[in-house]
Amino acid sequence: MAKAEKSGVDYGAELKRLRSEGPARVYILRGEEDYLRDSFLAELKKQCLDSDTEAFNHHRLQGPALDVAQLMECVEAMPFMGERTLIEVRDFDVNKTSSYDAERLKSLLAEVPEWATVVFLFGPEYSPDSRLGAVKAMKKAGPDLSFSCPQERELVRWVSRRVEGQGKSIEGSDARYLIWVCGARMNTLIPEIVKIAGYAQGERITKQDIDAVARRTPETTIFNLTDALGSRAYDKAAGLLADLLADRDEPPQKQIAMVSEQFRRLYVARIAADSGRGEDYITTCIPELTGRSYPLRLLKSACKNYSQERLARAVSLCVQCDYRMKDTGGEPETLMKELLVQLAMDRS
């Protein structure tokens, strides 16, 4: 699947526009931040549907294979005892649409009646390819909104409000730590905030409370693993590898890719440090760190425990491990443990 393009969607501005101008006839809602995407959809439902007639005027279609004829029926259906209909299409694999259906879809989207709103919601696995004619027709018909994770400052404020909703408070530095530990996805943060607030004994949530009960993302565990290797804390590194391998949510093939990516990030940060380049160089090479001061600061500190040469060898060892895992049929956990030993033995 083609990757979705980055888009500077201002969530607050889009909500304001929806409430003041009313619903458009077609929307594309996509992006990694499903909490914001679904929150916008909830507001769209309020604008389109009455609670008494929602069952009649809310049409839902789901799945990779979209029946264009069925979509046409939903679009053409007049509202029943209401002003509008809402047609919600989730995870349609538009990239695999036949040329015949693509032409029918183009015609349909060009003539959506004034009483209907068609919403295409795409998860990451069905991200639309903008080069395709059907996708161009979607974008021409209405707003294309890509919801990405908010910038760190926004997210810290949002975390603080969620914590206050649990009857607690949190310092900005601890909120940034929480985001680093648990990830920046809002739907992931919500249950973690509830859990940590329930655990915390004091009025204020602290770093210690977060460490005690928060579920760390694999990325955080991998950062701590590479940091432990850099500081020669090999027993700690072995324990972190055990934690990583015990996490069955991510297969070893993906874990080794994330380890390799972390060493690549450290290599970029080390080059920046050795050449006197600033944070702009790092964020140019690693754009996902733009505006994220906490992980950027940690990366700049952690890279000091490695030389450029050692980091280059670490990336090479990860690539070799990945190759052996995919092409030689080796036991993934055994290969990961062997990789840890090789990384630990390189002490230059």
Side-chain angles (χ1 to χ4, degrees), residues 22-39:
R25 298 187 190 188
V26 177
Y27 286 93
I28 297 175
L29 305 184
R30 59 187 175 90
E32 61 182 350
E33 186 43 77
D34 49 359
Y35 175 85
L36 290 179
R37 186 192 66 199
D38 291 342
S39 295

Side-chain angles (χ1 to χ4, degrees), residues 33-138:
E33 186 43 77
D34 49 359
Y35 175 85
L36 290 179
R37 186 192 66 199
D38 291 342
S39 295
F40 186 85
L41 176 63
E43 182 61 30
L44 194 54
K45 288 177 181 178
K46 289 181 183 178
Q47 297 294 321
C48 291
L49 304 170
D50 298 323
S51 57
D52 294 337
T53 60
E54 179 177 346
F56 304 105
N57 295 325
H58 187 189
H59 308 285
R60 299 175 180 86
L61 303 174
Q62 185 163 357
L66 176 66
D67 185 337
V68 177
Q70 186 180 7
L71 175 60
M72 292 173 69
E73 290 179 8
C74 294
V75 171
E76 292 169 359
M78 294 283 291
F80 179 75
M81 298 179 66
E83 295 183 1
R84 299 190 67 83
T85 61
L86 179 66
I87 301 95
E88 179 182 330
V89 184
R90 284 186 179 266
D91 289 335
F92 163 40
D93 196 349
V94 64
N95 300 344
K96 294 184 179 179
T97 304
S98 68
S99 57
Y100 173 68
D101 277 344
E103 289 303 316
R104 290 203 297 168
L105 191 59
K106 290 179 190 178
S107 299
L108 171 64
L109 294 176
E111 298 179 0
V112 174
E114 61 182 11
W115 65 74
T117 292
V118 184
V119 186
F120 294 94
L121 295 105
F122 294 101
E125 64 273 32
Y126 298 113
S127 180
D129 185 342
S130 295
R131 297 169 296 180
L132 300 177
V135 178
K136 290 178 180 178
M138 286 181 179

